[in-house]
Amino acid sequence: QVQLVESGGGLVQAGGSLRLSCAASGRTFTNYVMAWFRQAPGKEREFVASITWSAGITYYADSVKGRFTISRDNGKNTMYLQMNSVTPEDTAVYYCAARLVVTRSFDFWGQGTQVTVSS
């Protein structure tokens, strides 16, 4: 069974940086797309960024483009989200997710990690 475990969340001041990690296990992820989503209080969950595990092709939401960087370490089976120049609007629970390249829905989710940005 696929397991995704996020870490690295916490409290950071506006303008600061934070790096989230997602440790993946349970299978080989060569044919998977990995992604970060987030959900702020009172709002729906939204896409943040994604990366194809094998080729490393990345996509970003407009709201984070130029500030966040998604990456993965195949040897460690870990995905990262480097968050720079954070603002209070980035405050949310951040979730790691995975899906097969050939499917459209993300079938596997982590438990989430809280990121709080103070002004």
Side-chain angles (χ1 to χ4, degrees):
Q1 180 63 295
V2 173
Q3 276 199 315
L4 304 173
V5 180
E6 302 96 334
S7 61
L11 177 64
V12 60
Q13 286 191 331
S17 298
L18 205 61
R19 189 176 82 156
L20 306 183
S21 299
C22 172
S25 62
R27 61 188 58 179
T28 302
F29 292 93
T30 304
N31 297 318
Y32 277 76
V33 176
M34 310 293 289
W36 289 98
F37 288 79
R38 66 186 181 185
Q39 187 166 20
K43 295 187 177 181
E44 293 192 353
R45 186 170 58 197
E46 64 174 358
F47 169 81
V48 175
S50 67
I51 186 168
T52 59
W53 196 262
S54 57
I57 299 170
T58 59
Y59 292 98
Y60 295 92
D62 287 343
S63 58
V64 306
K65 205 171 291 184
R67 300 188 299 123
F68 291 9
T69 302
I70 190 171
S71 63
R72 86 277 187 247
D73 184 329
N74 290 359
K76 295 182 179 180
N77 256 22
T78 301
M79 176 178 67
Y80 304 98
L81 185 69
Q82 178 66 43
M83 306 168 60
N84 297 330
S85 303
V86 296
T87 73
E89 288 68 39
D90 295 318
T91 294
V93 177
Y94 283 72
Y95 297 92
C96 170
R99 65 169 174 86
L100 283 166
V101 171
V102 295
T103 63
R104 294 185 64 84
S105 64
F106 285 87
D107 297 317
F108 305 103
W109 294 84
Q111 82 288 351
T113 186
Q114 176 71 46
V115 172
T116 302
V117 182
S118 63
S119 57

